[in-house]
Amino acid sequence: MTKIEFLKQLKVALEQRGVNNSTDILMDYEEHFAHALQNGKSEDEICTRLGSPQSLAMAFETKSMLAKPQQNNLKLEWSLVIKALGRLVVIAPFTLLVVLLPGILLLTYLITGWALVGGTFVGSLIAFVVGLVSGLFTFSFWILLSIVSSALAGFGITVAAFIFMYVTTKVLVQFVVDFIKWNLNFILDKRKEA
Amino acid sequence: MNPQFKKGILELCVLTMIAKRDYYGYELVEEISKILEISEGTLYPILRRLTDESLFETYLQESSGGPPRKYYRITKKGLEFQKQQLKEWSEFNKQIEQLIGRGK
């Protein structure tokens, strides 16, 4: 085995076992090679005397038992962050396209709808007050009755519109929340395990 | 020699040698493998563990015409540990001696 082969195999074996400080460890062996080569030994001889990279990696693993879980957590988090960022990049243009146009329509619908509800309510209220006041001033029962009754009809329409808007808003908000949740789950890769 | 036995005793050898004077890795390996038949690579995990446990500290030294040397020096904690380990080892040795000596 050559020096390069030995170090490569050791690096792979250390990483497979999740050993900390693999760069430092490899440097120690590089130093060993440097000294042994200077003393006139061949790379093959040095490798044979060192022992197999796999069994050496095992010795480092047993010694770094304490450091291991911590290191694994860190690794996991990092890979998660990188994955999440990747997924964000994938989903962002799609979400923008899907969300932007329907989103604008949706928002318009909600604003107009609620404005109409507000409008009919305020209109009916004004009509009611005006009817009441003018009826009282003119002492005309019929004017009072007609204006107040139309105002009451206006209230009825307001209530109906309110209920309609309330229901549709609830459904739409739920839909948007579900969509955002789905997006987040996709980004964070939280697929439900079957 | 029995590998399991060798592993435990190797740590004491490394501790005791470095308690006497500073060594760099290759030098230590050479000294030990002159006497004990070992896979030379296995000394580095031991050095690293003992350093991680603050029994040793390391420092780099350039050498003229050679690669830089990473030296190991024993700490106060390391010295205490070495004394205690050596004591346990010689007690164990005495007990074994008694057992084996009886057979003779």
Side-chain angles (χ1 to χ4, degrees):
Chain A
M1 210 192 301
T2 67
K3 173 187 161 185
I4 301 290
E5 276 169 354
F6 179 92
L7 291 174
K8 210 182 261 175
Q9 281 186 28
L10 182 61
K11 185 171 190 266
V12 170
L14 287 171
E15 276 164 10
Q16 270 171 356
R17 292 176 182 278
V19 174
N20 251 343
N21 305 327
S22 62
T23 323
D24 282 354
I25 293 170
L26 289 172
M27 266 169 64
D28 284 348
Y29 285 102
E30 256 176 85
E31 195 192 303
H32 180 94
F33 271 103
H35 286 293
L37 285 171
Q38 212 193 18
N39 283 12
K41 293 195 173 126
S42 75
E43 288 192 1
D44 195 58
E45 190 191 347
I46 301 165
C47 291
T48 313
R49 296 184 68 108
L50 278 174
S52 91
Q54 285 76 22
S55 61
L56 290 177
M58 201 155 70
F60 279 105
E61 184 189 38
T62 46
K63 81 104 212 157
S64 58
M65 283 291 252
L66 274 172
K68 221 181 123 194
Q70 215 183 353
Q71 194 248 2
N72 265 2
N73 275 349
L74 197 73
K75 216 177 180 179
L76 197 80
E77 261 169 45
W78 272 112
S79 69
L80 207 76
V81 167
I82 289 164
K83 238 192 211 163
L85 280 176
R87 282 162 176 274
L88 195 67
V89 168
V90 169
I91 208 171
F94 170 72
T95 307
L96 199 72
L97 255 165
V98 168
V99 160
L100 200 66
L101 220 80
I104 290 171
L105 285 174
L106 227 123
L107 209 68
T108 322
Y109 167 77
L110 287 176
I111 291 171
T112 349
W114 282 107
L116 279 173
V117 170
T120 44
F121 177 71
V122 171
S124 312
L125 201 69
I126 290 169
F128 184 76
V129 171
V130 167
L132 212 65
V133 169
S134 59
L136 284 174
F137 268 99
T138 52
F139 299 106
S140 160
F141 174 73
W142 294 111
I143 291 173
L144 184 83
L145 188 71
S146 66
I147 295 181
V148 167
S149 62
S150 65
L152 285 175
F155 279 129
I157 292 167
T158 308
V159 170
F162 178 82
I163 290 168
F164 180 76
M165 282 311 295
Y166 177 76
V167 171
T168 49
T169 305
K170 207 175 151 186
V171 168
L172 287 171
V173 166
Q174 188 60 52
F175 173 74
V176 170
V177 167
D178 281 348
F179 183 73
I180 290 170
K181 261 191 201 161
W182 179 81
N183 265 275
L184 277 179
N185 282 349
F186 178 79
I187 290 167
L188 297 176
D189 197 18
K190 273 189 193 159
R191 277 165 299 187
K192 278 174 195 161
E193 306 264 330
Chain B
M1 207 201 285
N2 177 327
Q4 205 58 30
F5 189 58
K6 201 153 56 180
K7 210 173 160 188
I9 219 62
L10 213 48
E11 190 179 302
L12 181 63
C13 291
V14 169
L15 266 168
T16 308
M17 286 171 76
I18 296 178
K20 282 180 191 152
R21 70 167 174 92
D22 298 359
Y23 277 90
Y24 63 97
Y26 184 74
E27 189 187 16
L28 190 79
V29 171
E30 285 275 272
E31 288 274 296
I32 291 178
S33 62
K34 256 190 247 162
I35 296 165
L36 290 177
E37 202 182 292
I38 51 159
S39 293
E40 294 178 353
T42 52
L43 281 170
Y44 291 100
I46 294 173
L47 285 170
R48 184 155 288 268
R49 187 184 66 236
L50 297 177
T51 308
D52 280 355
E53 288 170 2
S54 319
L55 303 178
F56 294 154
E57 48 195 20
T58 63
Y59 59 96
L60 267 185
Q61 207 172 69
E62 301 290 330
S63 63
S64 54
R69 299 163 171 181
K70 184 177 171 185
Y71 274 94
Y72 293 84
R73 174 173 38 204
I74 200 151
T75 63
K76 209 178 153 194
K77 190 180 163 193
L79 214 53
E80 276 165 25
F81 185 71
Q82 187 265 342
K83 269 182 201 155
Q84 180 211 325
Q85 290 291 101
L86 193 65
K87 203 177 135 207
E88 275 175 33
W89 162 252
S90 48
E91 272 166 18
F92 175 75
N93 237 2
K94 259 183 228 159
Q95 289 159 353
I96 297 296
E97 191 78 359
Q98 277 182 352
L99 280 176
I100 298 175
R102 241 190 274 164
K104 271 186 181 175

